[in-house]
Amino acid sequence: MSKILFVVTGADHWELADGTRHPTGVWAEEIVVPHEMLTSAGHEVVIATPGGVVPRVDRGSLLPEFTGGPAGAVRMTEAVEGLEGLRKPIRLAEVDLDEYQAVFYPGGHGPMEDLAVDQDSGRLLVAAQQAKKPLGIVCHGPAALLAAVTADGSNAFAGCRVAAFTNVEEAQAGFADKAKWLLQDRLVDIGVQFQEGEAWAPNVVVDGNLITGQNPASSEQVATELLAKLS
């Protein structure tokens, strides 16, 4: 059995270019599906957030249109309510990476607000990459890579092949013309090799220890690849 750290956004909003706050948080499917898969395989999951704040689940991610219908919405809502670790996260700043065999970052727009600039998360990602620990990140979770700056000022993931939420998907979601910045653009700016797949279809890229998924539909495959690295 391995102990796996889930780093979850603590943001309850995403500030748009005009200063308005879009309510958000962590996307339900992206935390529920990997959590279920990893714990069902016998692994322990510990959830950490910036400041140890109780994370907010994006309410939109519990709607029937995003969960496969009314029955799916009920199942996802019940699954979120059953995640005890969401109610009692540990403080990200107090994490000892040596205690964990892998790290996972779910998305939602929340990471665009906090993890993209969080120094504790950035240091943890640098250490995980340097130690070659299995690292799974999905959808908007790769926003956290922006803070993974090394001592020489470079990004620890420059040159890595990465999948993440695309500009096309952000436009189709209705936010591309409202956002302060777009995730795909920023990732390209720090030097990652952005691997864009079909909008809303599963797209997972494995580059050494790094496993990234483009969107919510990619969360199951990201977890599958993470499990393979732990076996």
Side-chain angles (χ1 to χ4, degrees):
M1 183 183 75
S2 296
K3 191 175 180 182
I4 302 163
L5 179 71
F6 273 38
V7 180
V8 178
T9 176
D12 61 4
H13 70 275
W14 176 33
E15 186 171 316
L16 303 176
D18 65 358
T20 60
R21 293 185 167 192
H22 170 66
T24 187
V26 61
W27 196 260
E29 180 179 357
E30 296 169 20
I31 189 168
V32 166
V33 172
H35 191 284
E36 288 180 344
M37 292 176 65
L38 291 163
T39 54
S40 293
H43 302 298
E44 178 186 358
V45 170
V46 176
I47 294 174
T49 63
V53 301
V54 175
R56 180 185 189 276
V57 174
D58 191 311
R59 306 314 295 177
S61 67
L62 300 175
L63 296 174
E65 53 262 45
F66 296 116
T67 53
V74 171
R75 192 198 80 79
M76 190 64 70
T77 300
E78 290 177 346
V80 166
E81 292 173 350
L83 289 180
E84 185 176 349
L86 275 179
R87 297 189 293 274
K88 299 177 181 179
I90 65 172
R91 293 172 58 89
L92 184 56
E94 297 174 357
V95 166
D96 180 356
L97 186 60
D98 291 339
E99 295 181 3
Y100 300 90
Q101 285 70 57
V103 182
F104 177 77
Y105 279 71
H109 278 110
M112 301 275 281
E113 185 69 23
D114 61 354
L115 297 180
V117 294
D118 189 279
Q119 294 184 352
D120 294 320
S121 174
R123 284 191 290 268
L124 184 144
L125 283 167
V126 171
Q129 180 70 349
Q130 291 175 344
K132 301 301 180 186
K133 284 185 184 273
L135 178 58
I137 315 178
V138 67
C139 199
H140 287 89
L145 301 182
L146 303 177
V149 180
T150 64
D152 65 6
S154 63
N155 191 282
F157 296 89
C160 292
R161 292 181 293 111
V162 172
F165 205 68
T166 66
N167 289 353
V168 170
E169 288 167 323
E170 204 70 85
Q172 292 178 359
F175 290 106
D177 60 349
K178 301 175 183 179
K180 292 180 180 179
W181 49 272
L182 298 177
L183 179 55
Q184 179 175 346
D185 293 344
R186 283 289 180 89
L187 289 172
V188 171
D189 287 345
I190 64 171
V192 308
Q193 300 180 47
F194 194 89
Q195 309 285 290
E196 182 172 358
E198 179 185 347
W200 309 109
N203 177 35
V204 172
V205 175
V206 180
D207 189 346
N209 62 299
L210 178 64
I211 309 159
T212 50
Q214 180 171 313
N215 45 37
S218 306
S219 58
E220 181 177 350
Q221 190 178 341
V222 170
T224 297
E225 295 289 348
L226 193 59
L227 280 167
K229 290 189 178 295
L230 291 169
S231 62

